Amino acid sequence: MRRRGTECRGRPRRAPHRPRSPARHRRRHDRPRPRRRRRRPAGRSAGGRGRRGRRAARRPARRCRRRRRRRTGGPADRASDAVAALRAVRAVPGTAAVLLTVRSGLEGGALDGGEDAYAALLDALLGSLADLPAADRPDALDVEIARPAAALIARAHALGLDAVASFHDFHGTPADDALRGRLTAMETAGADALKIAVTPADAADVARLLRVTAEASTALTAPVITLSMGDLGLVSRLTGAVFGSALTFATPGDRPSAPGQPPIGLVREARRVLASSR
């Protein structure tokens, strides 16, 4: 008779199987991992960020503020862009006389903000032009007569620039007396050239403008520049010199800056035909 635990056929007898508890069957990846403590970087105190951390946290905010200031498009930024464009034009060999124009939204331009924005931009622009050599400045500056023009014209003259006083009406053609009054006010403000651009409703409006042009060109001392915009007013752009208009505006390509502005080739051909018929 054999005892338990004694050898049997050369092998020890195994102990009876005992099932493990569910906790012992838990897999390794199911066990909760111990939470590691993060080491505090040098320069930080236990109560908050250290000196280096505070400096690093402030730097990105300062950079963002600077970027926002560059994107505001204020008067100084716009004046700087205008001066950069002026220098690029001046760098082209054989450049003709340059008329620098800032057109407000009140008269069909892209500058919003009313009279205050226009005055602020012209003030910043004249300040930037004062820092340029005389050879890099434009030959003339456009000043809208409906804004405070007299002081701006005087500042342009102080820089050696001619001043072209201008008035634009994209909705119609004012009465004859109103047109004469605008031209007289421009000359009284000291402008070197007087420009009016209006929108005709019919051929009669174009004829009225040309008649006022013929009268003003002899009554006033400063050169008069008048034109009717749109397709209906094309004749005023091509034949304005016959009625006393000192010059006209044309586009060198296919992107006119005003309604009805013709290509420069067409204007030159019309001037040649008119000159040969005299």
Side-chain angles (χ1 to χ4, degrees), residues 210 213-218 222-226 239-247 278:
L210 294 176
T213 304
E215 297 171 355
S217 62
T218 58
V224 175
I225 306 167
T226 62
T239 65
V242 177
F243 299 89
S245 183
L247 57 86
R278 291 183 181 179

Side-chain angles (χ1 to χ4, degrees), residues 114-212:
E115 293 187 3
D116 294 339
Y118 180 82
L121 180 52
L122 262 292
D123 179 73
L125 183 58
L126 287 168
S128 299
L129 294 177
D131 297 332
L132 293 178
D136 293 340
R137 296 172 186 170
D139 298 280
L141 178 68
D142 184 287
V143 179
E144 295 177 357
I145 193 60
R147 318 296 152 238
L152 296 173
I153 290 174
R155 290 185 61 185
H157 287 162
L159 295 177
L161 311 179
D162 290 334
V164 178
S166 64
F167 168 74
H168 300 76
D169 191 334
F170 282 81
H171 303 287
T173 302
D176 294 0
D177 291 340
L179 294 173
R180 295 188 191 98
R182 291 284 186 182
L183 293 171
T184 303
M186 294 175 185
E187 188 171 62
T188 303
D192 301 287
L194 324 175
K195 176 194 174 187
I196 284 183
V198 294
T199 303
D202 48 31
D205 284 346
V206 180
R208 286 195 303 108
L209 177 69
L210 294 176
R211 182 176 64 250
V212 172

